Amino acid sequence: MTADSTVTEPIAAAATATTFADIAIVGGGLAGSLAASVLARAGHRVALVDKRAVYPDEFRVEKIGGQQLEMLRRLGFIRSLASVACSYDRVLNVREGKVVDVSVGQAYGLPYAGLVAMARGQMPDPSSLIVDEVTAVTCSDDVQHLELASGRRLNARLVVLATGMAGALGYKLGIRRRVLAASHSVSFGFTIARRDGTPFDFKALTCYGERTADGVDYLSLFPVPAGMRANLFMFRDPTDPVMRDLRRDTEATVLRLLPGLQPYLGDFRVTDRVRNWVMDLSVVEGHLQPGIVLIGDAFQTNCPAAGTGVARLLVDVERLCTEYAPRWLATEGMGIEKISEFYSDRDKIAADQQSLKMARFRQALTSRDDISWDVRRRLHFLRRSITHRVDQMRPGWLAHVRSALRA
Ligand SMILES: Cc1cc2nc3c(=O)[nH]c(=O)nc-3n(C[C@H](O)[C@H](O)[C@H](O)COP(=O)(O)OP(=O)(O)OC[C@H]3O[C@@H](n4cnc5c(N)ncnc54)[C@H](O)[C@@H]3O)c2cc1C
């Protein structure tokens, strides 16, 4: 293998039994596809292997905003994201039927499959995607060997494991998942429309839960190309009968859990299949091995309500693909002294820890009913609504005071 990763050569023809690449990325979800595009655009020989040519219509992240956009801009994906997603810049936040505040800031809504397609579409050479399943990986300080279900082989200097929550491949390498919180959260995704066909009066809306016993963190409504998308995030026993009610009689159950939502929605109906997902919070162990690095959900899962999954995987992609992998490839070998640099990266550790912290915070804010959390919850929403009212009366004044205090 050449140590000069700036030389771009086409990956060996698909028909040959063994393919060579600088970097083999296993898993073409959002993490793997972004990583493949960033590395390939920088001139590295990349092979992205995924079981499916097109990511299926599965429920994952469906809205992108805040600091995620800044990271996507730095990585060069913002224009393509804007061209395939629905843009919105105001979210009306309500609780118990009353406005808490309004969040202002650019955001985009789109199905996860569209997001992955956008990321894959940025690879300069579409033939870098190999549609196959990796069945085994053998790693060393030098060349890594991958076996594919079709019988083909792939050799690479570095393997990036971006297989999401699928643990089989890692398991064969002795990598285990430590479950930090089983069935931590339950998420529902569906699309809604007004029965009379008129548009909703808001661009995007978040409605927070009203009673701790319901375990509803919030329902987020935002535009996607197919209409108004709903993401409902809960901390509740996934075997509770309310889960079945939410699948079978979604409209009535949503209004039973969030009665204050009625005036905002009017007479609405669900227009597609209701999907739901029970999430365990977990992190891998035994991952520090030569020649292989884990990113995205393959390394750590996230609480969907906390909305930190994409920020985490973007930090992984940015640090690995713009800093470490190019440097590692410039010299011989791929031992653990190189790999450990990525896992010790300050930004990565901070993003991983922040994700777990936010997961625990959202759960406590939603469902803890002891006195201290009850007070915190009241103060949380009171502070937000007072800030909002002051901002309405004297626009920009609070921002001015905050920046003066920071100076
Ligand atoms: C319901 C839900 C809602 C969410 N909402 C949010 C949100 O609002 N905000 C947020 O920031 N995050 C959210 N997340 C988290 C976010 O969606 C994930 O962090 C992100 O999708 C992880 O991407 P990934 O590329 O790591 O994994 P995945 O997208 O799961 O990709 C893994 C890929 O690996 C492939 N693969 C697996 N094994 C093999 C193999 N052996 N060979 C070849 N290919 C293989 C699979 O086919 C798949 O394409 C949510 C998650 C869920 C489940």
Side-chain angles (χ1 to χ4, degrees), residues 26-32 49-52 55 59-63 68 112 120 132-134 162-166 169 187 231 233 277 279 295-298 302 304 307-311 313:
V26 188
L30 188 59
V49 190
D50 198 283
K51 291 187 264 192
R52 296 161 298 198
Y55 201 96
F59 180 27
R60 298 277 197 285
V61 61
E62 298 179 321
K63 58 183 188 306
Q68 300 162 352
Y112 186 62
R120 287 188 188 178
D132 213 325
E133 181 176 1
V134 177
T163 45
M165 289 172 273
L169 212 50
S187 308
N231 282 181
F233 299 120
W277 189 277
M279 181 65 89
I295 62 169
D297 281 12
N302 318 278
T308 49
V310 172
L313 74 78

Side-chain angles (χ1 to χ4, degrees), residues 12 68 82 95 136 148 168 189 212 232 242 352 397 402:
Q68 300 162 352
R95 186 166 185 253
L148 311 188
T212 51
L232 176 66
V242 77
D352 293 346
W397 182 75
R402 277 197 205 106

Side-chain angles (χ1 to χ4, degrees), residues 202-219:
F202 51 84
K203 259 276 186 175
L205 181 146
T206 301
C207 181
Y208 295 98
E210 300 185 8
R211 298 165 295 251
T212 51
D214 290 336
V216 174
D217 188 347
Y218 59 94
L219 173 80

Side-chain angles (χ1 to χ4, degrees), residues 168-314:
L169 212 50
Y171 198 81
K172 289 183 187 169
L173 288 161
I175 300 169
R176 301 281 181 265
R177 269 191 186 276
R178 182 158 58 94
V179 176
L180 306 171
S183 305
H184 178 256
S185 62
V186 186
S187 308
F188 287 83
F190 47 92
T191 310
I192 60 168
R194 279 223 167 106
R195 278 188 202 278
D196 63 7
T198 58
F200 292 102
D201 295 335
F202 51 84
K203 259 276 186 175
L205 181 146
T206 301
C207 181
Y208 295 98
E210 300 185 8
R211 298 165 295 251
T212 51
D214 290 336
V216 174
D217 188 347
Y218 59 94
L219 173 80
S220 174
L221 299 169
F222 53 94
V224 293
M228 184 62 77
R229 190 69 182 158
N231 282 181
L232 176 66
F233 299 120
M234 302 177 74
F235 297 99
R236 193 154 168 175
D237 179 356
T239 62
D240 191 292
V242 77
M243 302 297 159
R244 193 195 49 214
D245 296 347
L246 275 165
R247 281 190 299 271
R248 292 194 186 159
D249 189 8
T250 315
E251 295 90 340
T253 312
V254 163
L255 292 179
R256 196 175 82 217
L257 292 169
L258 299 166
L261 198 54
Q262 173 79 74
Y264 297 94
L265 292 189
D267 194 9
F268 76 102
R269 66 186 177 91
V270 173
T271 60
D272 63 357
R273 188 158 74 84
V274 177
R275 288 147 202 274
N276 74 312
W277 189 277
V278 180
M279 181 65 89
D280 290 342
L281 280 188
S282 66
V283 62
V284 289
E285 290 177 336
H287 49 282
L288 181 55
Q289 301 190 14
I292 186 165
V293 69
L294 277 67
I295 62 169
D297 281 12
F299 181 81
Q300 180 180 305
T301 62
N302 318 278
C303 166
T308 49
V310 172
R312 263 200 61 246
L313 74 78
L314 283 168

Side-chain angles (χ1 to χ4, degrees), residues 67-78:
Q67 56 157 335
Q68 300 162 352
L69 292 181
E70 187 42 44
M71 285 192 269
L72 283 168
R73 184 171 290 115
R74 284 204 300 268
L75 291 170
F77 292 92
I78 202 74

